[in-house]
Amino acid sequence: MSDPTGPKTGAPAPAPTDGSEPMIAERAITEWWSTAVSEIHPGEIRLRGYPVEELIGRVTFAEQIWLMLRGDLPTPVQGRLLEAALVAAVDHGPQAPSIAAARMAATCGVGLNSAVATGAGLLGDVHGGAGQQCMEVLRRVVDGEEAPAIVAEYRAHRAYIPGFGHRFHPRDPRRDPLLCLVRAAADAGEVPGDALRAGLELEAALADGRDRPVPMNIDGATAIIYAELGFPAQLGRGLFVLSRSVGILAHAWEETEGGARIKGPIPRPLLAGYHGTPERHLERDVAWSTSSTVRPNTSP
């Protein structure tokens, strides 16, 4: 009697009896992209085990993000903290390179999807990666390193500590409301509070001996939230990209609706400065001159 479950994963396919090449076992193919995230069958969609029809209208988008990444639904406080971080980082205007690039791309006829991809593709280590880097620094403090020693290490290398200071805001307006939410959650026992403590210790160490403090920025505040919620540092960057992609989409769409074509980084009447070699001329004979005129052929 044949096995109704079919061949086991990795088991060799039965040898054909007609001399043809052996077939690959079905399960060896279906297991190639085996996933715990979603299960799809005709008429059925389950996300982390939940039928999608039970999620629609019952969970927020932030809760759905948590479910997809973590495998279960967050507590109400966890969901609110995640949503707050996502809302806070959604946009920072066209002066952000990712936003500007998306707007320029939208005027070049590449389509909305490519314009968004252009902007999101600029979110790298320097522009967009500070949150992940800050989470790694926070982990060092949580694990027992002294904040002043870490600050001294960065200063010795003339490097910025990720997540602190801002090139535009003397004090980032997103810092206080985010940290207040984390403080309330820590006081209620909903999150450990270790990353919050580490971030405040780093902020105090940066301010020590300075006339002007170096307050935490959006990358530092969201890094604290993501660390308190237990996300790995790499996912901290992924969540920032997810959040900022909403702003990128909004700006790309606004530029698309405006109808401008080939909009460059500076207004058209202006030209980029030049600091290269002054005008010079090629010292050899040329086959044409500026006084030459190309006349139409009038021969019959």
Side-chain angles (χ1 to χ4, degrees), residues 238-262:
L239 289 165
F240 173 80
V241 172
L242 181 63
S243 169
R244 185 54 59 87
S245 293
V246 178
I248 291 172
L249 173 62
H251 281 274
W253 178 240
E254 181 180 59
E255 202 64 61
T256 299
E257 286 192 304
R261 292 167 55 88
I262 315 177

Side-chain angles (χ1 to χ4, degrees), residues 158-211:
R158 303 182 67 84
Y160 294 104
I161 293 187
F164 296 86
H166 201 285
R167 62 188 177 86
F168 189 80
H169 302 292
R171 186 178 181 88
D172 196 317
R174 299 162 290 189
R175 174 201 180 278
D176 292 347
L178 290 175
L179 295 194
C180 284
L181 289 172
V182 179
R183 170 61 68 195
D187 290 345
E190 295 280 353
V191 296
D194 296 333
L196 175 62
R197 173 187 56 80
L200 294 176
E201 288 180 5
L202 285 166
E203 191 174 55
L206 277 166
D208 189 35
R210 293 176 57 95
D211 294 332

Side-chain angles (χ1 to χ4, degrees), residues 66 70 73-82 180-196 224-231:
W66 182 292
R70 303 286 286 269
L73 289 168
T75 67
V77 172
Q78 289 171 333
R80 284 195 296 271
L81 281 175
L82 177 58
C180 284
L181 289 172
V182 179
R183 170 61 68 195
D187 290 345
E190 295 280 353
V191 296
D194 296 333
L196 175 62
I224 286 175
I225 288 181
Y226 296 144
E228 291 287 356
L229 293 176
F231 285 102

Side-chain angles (χ1 to χ4, degrees), residues 34-293:
S34 180
T35 174
V37 176
S38 57
E39 184 180 9
I40 312 297
H41 297 285
E44 298 177 358
I45 301 174
R46 284 187 287 275
L47 305 175
R48 295 291 191 179
Y50 289 101
V52 69
E53 60 269 26
E54 295 181 13
L55 298 171
I56 295 172
R58 297 181 181 179
V59 301
T60 67
F61 187 44
E63 290 172 330
Q64 184 66 34
I65 292 168
W66 182 292
L67 173 64
M68 298 297 281
L69 294 176
R70 303 286 286 269
D72 215 336
L73 289 168
T75 67
V77 172
Q78 289 171 333
R80 284 195 296 271
L81 281 175
L82 177 58
E83 185 170 49
L86 293 171
V87 168
V90 75
D91 187 23
H92 199 257
Q95 65 267 35
S98 55
I99 301 294
R103 296 189 73 116
M104 284 190 286
T107 70
C108 296
V110 298
L112 194 60
N113 58 321
S114 293
V116 172
T118 298
L122 265 62
L123 297 173
D125 289 342
V126 176
H127 173 43
Q132 174 183 346
Q133 297 156 12
C134 184
M135 290 178 72
E136 293 164 354
V137 177
L138 293 172
R139 171 49 56 187
R140 292 174 60 182
V141 179
V142 171
D143 287 345
E145 292 190 52
E146 295 294 329
I150 294 175
V151 170
E153 172 192 320
Y154 273 81
R155 285 177 173 166
H157 292 88
R158 303 182 67 84
Y160 294 104
I161 293 187
F164 296 86
H166 201 285
R167 62 188 177 86
F168 189 80
H169 302 292
R171 186 178 181 88
D172 196 317
R174 299 162 290 189
R175 174 201 180 278
D176 292 347
L178 290 175
L179 295 194
C180 284
L181 289 172
V182 179
R183 170 61 68 195
D187 290 345
E190 295 280 353
V191 296
D194 296 333
L196 175 62
R197 173 187 56 80
L200 294 176
E201 288 180 5
L202 285 166
E203 191 174 55
L206 277 166
D208 189 35
R210 293 176 57 95
D211 294 332
R212 296 174 58 188
V214 185
M216 202 178 301
N217 59 32
I218 181 62
D219 298 305
T222 54
I224 286 175
I225 288 181
Y226 296 144
E228 291 287 356
L229 293 176
F231 285 102
Q234 283 184 298
L235 270 183
R237 182 186 298 209
L239 289 165
F240 173 80
V241 172
L242 181 63
S243 169
R244 185 54 59 87
S245 293
V246 178
I248 291 172
L249 173 62
H251 281 274
W253 178 240
E254 181 180 59
E255 202 64 61
T256 299
E257 286 192 304
R261 292 167 55 88
I262 315 177
K263 194 170 179 179
I266 56 178
R268 288 187 179 89
L270 303 178
L271 296 175
Y274 177 74
H275 58 271
T277 305
E279 181 181 357
R280 49 185 169 173
H281 301 281
L282 194 65
E283 296 180 358
R284 63 177 67 172
D285 293 334
V286 295
W288 61 275
S289 70
T290 56
S291 61
S292 300
T293 302

